[in-house]
Amino acid sequence: MGVSWSLGSWLPVLRRLPGEARGQVALTIDDAPNPDTTPALLDLLDRHGAKATFFLSGCRAEPNRAIVADMVARGHAVYAHGWEHVRLDKAGPDRLRADMAACEALLTEFRPTPSPYLVRLPQNGGYRNSLVHRTLAAWMPGCQFAHWGLSTEDHLISTRCASESDVERECAAEVARLEADPRLEGAVVLMHDQPINERPGAAFKPAVTITLMRLLLQALDRRGLVSVPMVPAPGAAWWTRYALV
Ligand SMILES: [Zn+2]
């Protein structure tokens, strides 16, 4: 992937939990909430003593405020993922700032704004764009990019499904891959609550979302790992403001 340079404007880009993170992972869930899946996800997480980090789309959170309240009450971290699910890096700095601010304004109804703030943009657009970094730094000083180290690739699973048994098999295959990965301990793991995209297989998105969480939490138990909320990095080397690897 190489190195991207800036004149000192890169925010920290996090892909793992800081420190050794023994026995821990951070499950991060984009595009929530949804009334037909999120309550089931919250119950599964509770059953395993797991805490997740949700990056919420304002357009989905607005009609589902009670679910947002439930997420916070159960100890999960919630951050903004924009309002509509559009490429905010391509929409211009004003739209980027307005969408993030509108979503965060909704979330402050349920918890104080975290500091430092963790940012994840739709489709992770612009994480190597220095204008996006400068715009976010001006909006929320000290914020950090919540990238990930491992992806469940769940945005593609439903495209391979034509039946419920396909869902179980395809989710199990992705979970087996992750369970065998030596980088799983300490990893920030990307997953979705019904990914917002135009790909085929939309009818199976709810089943994929719930099945994948069920199987992944079982795999974490087998590996002796528990999901904890993603936390900001305590500090970054000075050169990371100039060089993004
Ligand atoms: Zn998203």
Side-chain angles (χ1 to χ4, degrees), residues 30-31 55 57 81 85 121-124 192 195-196:
D30 291 2
D31 303 359
F55 293 92
S57 293
H81 187 52
H85 203 271
L121 299 180
Q123 297 179 42
N124 207 32
H192 295 81
I196 301 175

Side-chain angles (χ1 to χ4, degrees), residues 61 82 94 123 134 144 162 169 174 179 189 209 230 240 245:
D94 292 345
Q123 297 179 42
R134 287 198 303 275
Q144 306 185 3
R169 187 192 65 238
E174 295 292 356
E179 186 177 356
V189 179
T209 293
M230 193 174 177
T240 62
V245 294

Side-chain angles (χ1 to χ4, degrees), residues 80-189:
H81 187 52
W83 192 264
E84 291 173 76
H85 203 271
V86 297
R87 283 290 296 266
L88 292 172
D89 55 320
K90 295 180 176 174
D94 292 345
R95 174 74 188 276
L96 167 60
R97 188 173 177 137
D99 263 45
M100 292 300 284
C103 188
E104 177 52 31
L106 188 152
L107 299 183
T108 59
E109 296 174 22
F110 306 100
R111 51 102 178 101
T113 296
S115 180
Y117 201 84
L118 295 178
V119 170
R120 186 175 288 158
L121 299 180
Q123 297 179 42
N124 207 32
Y127 89 96
R128 286 178 175 272
N129 177 329
S130 61
L131 176 59
V132 167
H133 281 237
R134 287 198 303 275
T135 304
L136 290 168
W139 167 60
M140 193 70 77
C143 68
Q144 306 185 3
F145 254 90
H147 206 297
W148 56 89
L150 292 175
S151 171
T152 59
E153 302 292 338
D154 58 347
H155 59 296
L156 298 172
I157 293 177
S158 63
T159 68
R160 303 193 295 268
C161 295
S163 70
E164 292 288 333
S165 62
D166 291 345
V167 170
E168 190 78 19
R169 187 192 65 238
E170 294 295 329
C171 289
E174 295 292 356
V175 168
R177 172 180 61 81
L178 293 166
E179 186 177 356
D181 196 310
R183 298 167 298 174
L184 185 58
E185 185 171 48
V188 173
V189 179

